[in-house]
Every structure is written in C-alpha cells, then in structure tokens.
Amino acid sequence: MSPVGETRATRLEGSTGWVLAILALLTAAAPLSVDIYTPSLPLIQRDLGGDEWLTQSSITACLLGVGIGQLLWGPLSDRTGRRPVIFFGVLGWTITSLLSALAVTPVMLLSLRGLAGLCGAAGIVVARSVVRDISSDRRAVASRVGILSMVNAVAPVVAPVIGAVIAIAWGWRADFVALAAFGAAVGLAFALTVPETLPADRRTGGGARTIASSLAGGLRNRELAAVAIALGAHAFGFYAYITSASFIVERQFGHPPIVFALVFGTNAAAMLSANLVFRRLVRRRHPSLPLGIGLVACAVSGAVLFATAAVRGPEGVLWAASIVFAGGTGLVLPSAHSWGQLTVVASGVASALTGSAQFLGGVLGSPLTGLLGVTAENLGLVMTIASSVAIVAWVVARRAERAAHPGP
C-alpha cells in the first residue's frame, strides 16, 4: 500500500496512463541535459574558447548537479508536497537551458549546466514519489517506477543522436533552445494533468535540519543503503561505458559514426526488451530478483569484453558483450529504484538516495576510462569490477530485506 492509499490511487486510475507519460518526460529532462550536446563539444570549444577539459567539465557539472539535487528535492517534496517542487525545478531547468544557448564563455556554460542539473533533478526524484503516492499496491509501484527508470536509462543513449541532428541543422545553441522548449511544454502538461498527490496530513515537518535528519535516517536503513550502493557501483561502470563507447568504436577500431549509432541502437533495444522482462517479473516477484540477474549479466559481459579485447578477439563478441551489458542495465536500473520505493523509508528520501547514488556514481565513473586509457580492455575491466561490487551490495540488501520481512 502506498503512503496515500487506495482512495487517491482510485481517483487517478482513469488518467494513470497520461500521468505516467508526463512523469516519464519529467524523468527524461535531466539525462537529456547531460547528453544532448555531447556531439557538439568540439564546436562549443571552438566558439567559446578555453581548454578542452573546461568545456567537457560542463558534462560533469550537470551530472553532479543531478546527483546532489536529488538529495535536496526528494526530502523537500515529503515536506511541501510534490507539485511545488516539480514546478520550481522545471522552471529553473527551462530558464538555465535557455540561458545556456546564450553562453559566451566556457565558465558561463559550465555554471549554467550545473544549475540545470540541479533543477532537473527535481523531475527525476519527485516523479518516483508521485508514482508511489498514486499506486495502491507493491506490484504497481515496482512496475511503474520501472517505466520511469527505463526512460532515465535510455535517454543518455538516444540524446546524443537527437542533439547531433539538431546541431547539424541549426547549430549547437539550438540544442539548448530545444531543451528549453521541451521544459516549457512538459511543465505546462504537468500543471494541467497531475494534481498534488501528497495530502497535507501525510507530509513531514521541520526545516533544513529535518531534511538532513531524514536523509541520515534513510542511510541508517541497511536495506535501502545497500540498494543505493549497488546502484551507485553499477552506475560507475554504466556511465564509463556511455562516455567511452564512441571513442572505442570510432578511434580504437576505426569505424565511422554510423557504426557507433548502430551499436548504441542495439543497446537501446536491449535495454527496452529487458525492461519488458522486468515488468513481467515484478508482477510476481520482488525487484531483488531481476536486480540480481541484471548485475550478474553485467559482470559476466564485462569480463567477456575484457578477455576478448585482451586477446584481440572478434569484434562481434565485443558487440554482443555490450548488448548483454545494456540488457543487464535494463534490469538493474528499474529494479533498484523500485526496491528503494518498497522500503519503509519515506518515498522522497528513498528516491533521493537511490537517484543520487546513480548519478554520483556516474560522476565518478565517467572520467575513469579517460584516465586509464580509453580502450575496450580497460572498459571491460571497469565494468566487471563495478558490477562485482554491486553484487556484494545486493547480497547485503537481500539479507536485510529478508530480515525485515521474514517469511516464504
């Protein structure tokens, strides 16, 4: 049973599809912010000047903003309600996106992208809480959060393709204008479609100290903390893959960009297919099952990628390993976020901790292969270690869940 209960879920039952669609678009906002302009980074550096690392740091700043922002917006939505937080976040994200199109220095762009990530985090973290509010049973929560998590995972894969098309037609500044238009449209749709889902009598009280206390209390929940660690560890490897794959395909193996697009296209298809499997599994089983399966698949595929690259094996095997890794990720992300919402911790806090773990893991994982050397061998090693650490955390979380809910 969700915190709000069956009455509110029943009242929104007829419009659940529309509500989920709007929440999915809100969830996509922050990942789009991070990745839509990555194909244009060389052009941005040429126009704005500055060192290459400074332009690239705008990506890291946006990721960092998304990770930290969720720690703020999630608990705040438990206190003030969902709608004010989402409205403020969407408004801030839209304005900073538009201002990014007017950037005249790399420092200005970096600062605006950090703020955009901070504001965009509101849509990701609060959307999951709205789902928990309007869902009347655990299976509905898991399935619906799974949809949002899948959007969150697929957006970084498709965003560079969309951004490249826009930039080719109208220039790199048009990417940010498109983001601003997207934010305005989604904000209006949310205002017209989604009511407040957290009634006043269900809200928490207190100020900043209470929010910090709520986060600390969530971390003291062993089950939720272990799930967050598992997700953060996996995200470390996943974002290392996202940021390294194009260099490996195009530079290490000398293929044209169309081949990279094909690789990422098959990855996206694998993630979507895995999400369908997840939604079937959680109708009868706890999300811990698909999470465990996904982590094992990712660890094995990372090891295959490492071993094949080390012996200069067939490129087809490397491609197949990337597809398995993407499919495993398609199980991991929705499972971890759904599991977080099924713990006894308040929805906003649970969403904040799992969401921030994912993006902060990405902040740490994104530059690592660049430091080690962007090769398939190094990427496979990072993927294997990250997923293996996540498996250990999964075991801890599973034991904590069984202790909290003993039974068959």
Side-chain angles (χ1 to χ4, degrees):
M1 181 69 65
S2 74
V4 173
E6 293 185 6
T7 300
R8 187 165 297 265
T10 301
R11 186 164 66 86
L12 290 174
E13 190 64 35
S15 59
T16 296
W18 285 109
V19 170
L20 287 176
I22 299 302
L23 296 178
L25 292 175
L26 286 169
T27 299
L32 286 174
S33 291
V34 175
D35 295 289
I36 195 170
Y37 68 100
T38 52
S40 299
L41 285 175
L43 295 176
I44 294 174
Q45 182 193 6
R46 183 195 67 188
D47 290 354
L48 300 185
D51 294 329
E52 181 178 342
W53 70 266
L54 188 58
T55 304
Q56 292 176 329
S57 294
S58 66
I59 300 291
T60 303
C62 195
L63 274 173
L64 192 61
V66 175
I68 294 174
Q70 292 184 75
L71 294 175
L72 168 66
W73 303 125
L76 188 62
S77 76
D78 287 333
R79 181 189 175 207
T80 65
R82 314 304 186 196
R83 278 172 65 90
V85 172
I86 289 183
F87 279 140
F88 185 85
V90 171
L91 177 63
W93 185 79
T94 302
I95 292 173
T96 52
S97 295
L98 188 58
L99 291 176
S100 295
L102 305 175
V104 294
T105 68
V107 173
M108 180 180 177
L109 181 65
L110 184 151
S111 301
L112 287 169
R113 299 323 297 156
L115 288 173
L118 190 70
C119 294
I124 294 179
V125 68
V126 182
R128 288 192 291 265
S129 295
V130 171
V131 164
R132 181 165 161 181
D133 292 342
I134 67 173
S135 300
S136 57
D137 60 67
R138 294 162 64 95
R139 289 177 296 179
V141 171
S143 179
R144 292 168 179 174
V145 170
I147 295 174
L148 304 187
S149 300
M150 198 68 262
V151 171
N152 196 10
V154 173
V157 178
V158 300
V161 179
I162 297 172
V165 172
I166 294 174
I168 289 171
W170 297 290
W172 63 266
R173 294 181 188 275
D175 283 337
F176 298 113
V177 175
L179 289 177
F182 176 84
V186 173
L188 179 61
F190 177 82
L192 297 175
T193 305
V194 185
E196 178 57 61
T197 58
L198 185 65
D201 61 351
R202 298 282 185 176
R203 299 175 191 176
T204 59
R209 182 174 296 181
T210 301
I211 292 175
S213 177
S214 297
L215 289 170
L219 287 173
R220 286 193 294 271
N221 182 286
R222 189 180 180 192
E223 180 183 355
L224 178 60
V227 170
I229 291 172
L231 180 56
H234 173 75
F236 188 98
F238 174 59
Y239 282 92
Y241 172 73
I242 290 291
T243 55
S244 303
S246 62
F247 292 96
I248 293 172
V249 171
E250 296 176 24
R251 292 187 179 178
Q252 182 177 352
F253 294 106
H255 294 296
I258 187 64
V259 174
F260 168 68
L262 180 61
V263 170
F264 257 39
T266 56
N267 285 181
M271 294 174 76
L272 291 171
S273 299
N275 185 255
L276 294 176
V277 173
F278 162 79
R279 296 189 68 193
R280 282 185 170 273
L281 283 175
V282 294
R283 291 174 186 172
R284 299 179 178 84
R285 305 297 295 271
H286 190 273
S288 60
L289 176 63
L291 178 59
I293 294 172
L295 289 175
V296 170
C298 289
V300 171
S301 60
V304 170
L305 183 66
F306 169 75
T308 304
V311 299
R312 306 296 187 269
E315 292 181 19
V317 176
L318 302 178
W319 188 359
S322 77
I323 292 174
V324 174
F325 182 78
T329 298
L331 292 175
V332 170
L333 297 183
S335 299
H337 288 298
S338 298
W339 191 348
Q341 289 298 310
L342 297 181
T343 63
V344 298
V345 177
S347 179
V349 172
S351 184
L353 291 175
T354 56
S356 63
Q358 176 183 335
F359 280 89
L360 293 178
V363 168
L364 296 174
S366 296
L368 182 61
T369 51
L371 296 174
L372 296 175
V374 185
T375 66
E377 187 175 351
N378 286 339
L379 177 59
L381 182 62
V382 170
M383 290 160 54
T384 304
I385 294 174
S387 296
S388 298
V389 171
I391 289 173
V392 174
W394 174 85
V395 172
V396 174
R398 190 72 181 103
R399 289 176 177 173
E401 191 274 333
R402 287 177 174 173
H405 307 284

